[in-house]
Amino acid sequence: MSETRNRPLTGPTHIGVVLERVRRQAGLQHETLAHRTGVGAEYLAGVLSGAAFPPRRFILRYARTCGADPQVLLRVWEDEHERLSTGPGQESAEPPSSGSA
């Protein structure tokens, strides 16, 4: 394994970059995606910018909404979750509800 794998992240999370790329490929606007995944627009913006690390179940909803392979996104999530949990930094946070089902 490479030395960088266990180094704490100092910038945006990698999962945010990947999810933003998936969103663009799906052709979804931020507001539409937030509504369809059941989170607030501000929370989604935080995840996509890498400022917030999403819970696992959000990744599953996101994959379904965007038509992406959930196993691929979960693999990226698990790898980053492992790196984040080995050092100080961000913790997984539950998304605030957007108030719509």
Side-chain angles (χ1 to χ4, degrees), residues 16-101:
V17 173
V18 172
L19 293 177
E20 176 61 21
R21 190 170 293 169
V22 168
R23 180 197 68 79
R24 284 190 215 148
Q25 288 289 327
L28 293 170
Q29 297 297 318
H30 287 105
E31 297 79 16
T32 302
L33 186 54
H35 176 74
R36 291 184 184 175
T37 56
V39 300
E42 287 183 24
Y43 177 77
L44 179 63
V47 169
L48 297 180
S49 72
F53 188 76
R56 190 175 194 276
R57 69 175 163 235
F58 173 80
I59 298 301
L60 293 172
R61 286 194 314 257
Y62 194 95
R64 279 194 304 269
T65 300
C66 292
D69 184 340
Q71 295 305 313
V72 171
L73 291 183
L74 283 174
R75 177 64 189 207
V76 174
W77 182 91
E78 289 166 355
D79 181 58
E80 187 147 351
H81 184 264
E82 180 181 318
R83 285 186 287 158
L84 290 172
S85 65
T86 61
Q90 301 167 322
E91 294 182 20
S92 179
E94 292 296 318
S97 175
S98 66
S100 59

